Amino acid sequence: MAILEIKKIEESSELELQLFDSRIQAGFPSPAQGAFADSVDLNHELINNPAATFCARVIGDSMVDSGINEGDMLIIDRSLEPHDGDIAVCFIDGDFTVKRLLITDDGISLVPANRKYPVIKVPKESNFVVWGIVSHIIKKLNR
């Protein structure tokens, strides 16, 4: 349920990869129309605010129904204001967790995306902070 290995994104890091200059069909295959064109910088694609962006690797299965699995890498933007429905990394009573935010007039609840886990209603007296908002999920596909 906790998230470990939180790492800061370095502002000076660049990673350019070749960009395939054709759309890739997820339905019926079509012949490739292009070849490799320019490059794409993943930092530019994934990170809006480097000074406030961190990565963390997921441990546990409480968010599997939202497509977040154990071992996935989260890109977390601490500069984003939390909104109802956001997937957020939260610090509650000494532990980090990733959950969907449910913000109502009655307070905040942390909603898992796995029926095995209960909704966590955040008590007003708890040590709680929305640490950052998940902006991207990086998955490794098994071979």
Side-chain angles (χ1 to χ4, degrees):
M1 191 140 94
I3 296 176
L4 301 177
E5 300 180 51
I6 295 177
K7 297 180 181 177
K8 179 142 178 29
I9 300 292
E10 297 296 327
E11 266 188 77
S12 63
S13 60
E14 292 181 17
L15 176 60
E16 289 193 3
L17 301 173
Q18 287 185 328
L19 176 63
F20 188 66
D21 193 24
S22 181
R23 298 204 182 237
I24 297 176
Q25 294 287 333
F28 237 179
S30 67
Q33 298 171 345
F36 291 97
D38 294 328
S39 61
V40 61
D41 181 349
L42 292 181
N43 288 306
H44 176 72
E45 295 293 322
L46 300 176
I47 300 166
N48 291 327
N49 187 345
T53 302
F54 293 78
C55 290
R57 193 161 308 276
V58 175
I59 297 171
D61 64 351
S62 70
M63 294 300 289
V64 294
D65 292 339
S66 287
I68 300 174
N69 299 302
E70 184 156 357
D72 288 351
M73 181 74 69
L74 304 179
I75 306 292
I76 306 157
D77 189 336
R78 296 197 67 199
S79 69
L80 295 175
E81 183 178 327
H83 294 284
D84 182 52
D86 283 344
I87 295 177
V89 173
C90 301
F91 182 81
I92 183 165
D93 295 331
D95 290 315
F96 283 100
T97 189
V98 59
K99 299 286 184 280
R100 189 169 300 276
L101 296 175
L102 176 62
I103 302 171
T104 65
D105 291 338
D106 295 332
I108 297 175
S109 295
L110 306 179
V111 182
N114 184 333
R115 293 182 197 170
K116 294 189 324 187
Y117 297 93
V119 172
I120 301 167
K121 175 89 170 138
V122 178
K124 291 184 182 188
E125 64 277 359
S126 68
N127 180 9
F128 173 78
V129 65
V130 175
W131 194 81
I133 303 302
V134 176
S135 60
H136 294 84
I137 305 163
I138 300 173
K139 302 180 137 315
K140 181 176 181 183
L141 301 177
N142 294 329
R143 270 196 80 165

